[in-house]
Amino acid sequence: MSEMPPLIKRSLVDQALEQLRLRITQGAWAIGQRLPTEPELAAELGISRNTVREAMRVLAFSGLIDVRQGDGSYLRAVADPLDMLQALSQCSLEHARETRQILEVEAVGLAALRRTEQDLKELAIALDDSSGHFHGDLDRYIACDLVFHQRLVDAAHNPTLSQLYRYFSSVVGAQLRQTLNVTPRRQDIFDRHQHLLDAIEQGDAERAKNISRQMINES
């Protein structure tokens, strides 16, 4: 039986990735630092330049390194977003609720202090859209509800927090779907969305946080 070079090659690339990721997590290079050249890495790892090149492409795709043509490769991050997505996919319902409280409750508190008139307009539009689908198709309602909650977080005007919540929104959607599949949708719980928006409009951070906390605990 003939050998299968592509599979052997992929195995070598995986080994190279493991070694490179290990060096990154151990702090071999600082963020923004130029990495060794492909020939230097090939010599250090004891593998071919082609294998190193493929491994570097994977790291660039996952956002860990920035490849600049004619200049070299630079370390962009030390945590792989794909690892985060994998962890999120395995998140339990209780851990999802805890994480959502940490992210969302504090975010709405900031939103009450920082929101703009444009934020309020976009939140009102998103809430109206969500209200129109509350008694309809579940997936459509959840999609609309996630838009509203993302805009709540965006109104905090913290780009890092907004990006974290975008990663986490898939877990929020899964949590809502699991809950609403077994319990009826209650109008009084949905009405708290408007109460939350009112608190944000009035700049009442503590009230906004309390309402958000209640909503999460009941979802």
Side-chain angles (χ1 to χ4, degrees):
M1 179 182 292
S2 60
E3 295 183 350
M4 302 175 64
L7 293 179
I8 295 173
K9 185 178 182 182
R10 175 53 52 192
S11 177
L12 290 173
V13 172
D14 289 342
Q15 292 176 41
L17 280 169
E18 182 179 357
Q19 290 301 312
L20 289 169
R21 284 191 170 117
L22 182 61
R23 283 163 172 73
I24 289 171
T25 56
Q26 289 180 340
W29 307 292
I31 292 179
Q33 181 179 346
R34 188 177 186 275
L35 273 62
T37 64
E38 288 178 1
E40 290 171 338
L41 287 172
E44 179 182 344
L45 300 175
I47 55 179
S48 71
R49 288 182 60 179
N50 286 339
T51 301
V52 170
R53 185 174 297 114
E54 285 199 38
M56 296 292 274
R57 285 175 181 167
V58 174
L59 293 179
F61 176 78
S62 64
L64 286 177
I65 66 171
D66 180 22
V67 179
R68 305 174 189 174
Q69 294 298 326
D71 188 22
S73 299
Y74 292 78
L75 186 64
R76 186 177 181 183
V78 295
D80 192 336
L82 296 178
D83 292 339
M84 178 188 289
L85 291 175
Q86 183 178 20
L88 290 179
S89 69
Q90 300 170 350
C91 185
S92 70
L93 189 63
E94 185 57 34
H95 288 165
R97 184 175 286 108
E98 288 176 354
T99 306
R100 188 179 175 194
Q101 286 230 26
I102 293 168
L103 291 177
E104 198 169 327
V105 172
E106 294 304 318
V108 299
L110 293 174
L113 302 175
R114 299 175 179 175
R115 92 293 182 277
T116 65
E117 289 302 316
Q118 184 62 34
D119 290 328
L120 293 175
K121 289 179 182 178
E122 292 179 354
L123 281 164
I125 291 171
L127 183 57
D128 185 63
D129 194 24
S130 184
S131 176
H133 293 88
F134 181 61
H135 295 291
D137 178 73
L138 179 58
D139 286 338
R140 179 59 182 159
Y141 165 66
I142 289 174
C144 293
D145 191 54
L146 290 178
V147 171
F148 176 76
H149 285 274
Q150 182 65 57
R151 288 183 178 174
L152 283 175
V153 176
D154 289 344
H157 292 278
N158 181 323
T160 304
L161 188 56
S162 288
Q163 189 60 44
L164 280 172
Y165 196 80
R166 282 186 179 85
Y167 275 116
F168 188 63
S169 63
S170 61
V171 176
V172 176
Q175 178 193 7
L176 289 172
R177 188 171 292 104
Q178 182 172 343
T179 300
L180 295 177
N181 266 327
V182 296
T183 59
R185 283 173 250 184
R186 290 169 47 191
Q187 186 66 45
D188 61 317
I189 293 179
F190 180 81
D191 289 344
R192 289 184 181 169
H193 288 72
Q194 184 62 56
H195 300 159
L196 176 58
L197 181 52
D198 292 342
I200 290 174
E201 184 173 6
Q202 295 162 10
D204 192 337
E206 287 307 312
R207 181 167 172 255
K209 289 166 68 173
N210 286 335
I211 295 172
S212 177
R213 193 176 292 111
Q214 291 171 4
M215 289 168 60
I216 293 170
N217 286 334
E218 293 179 349
S219 64

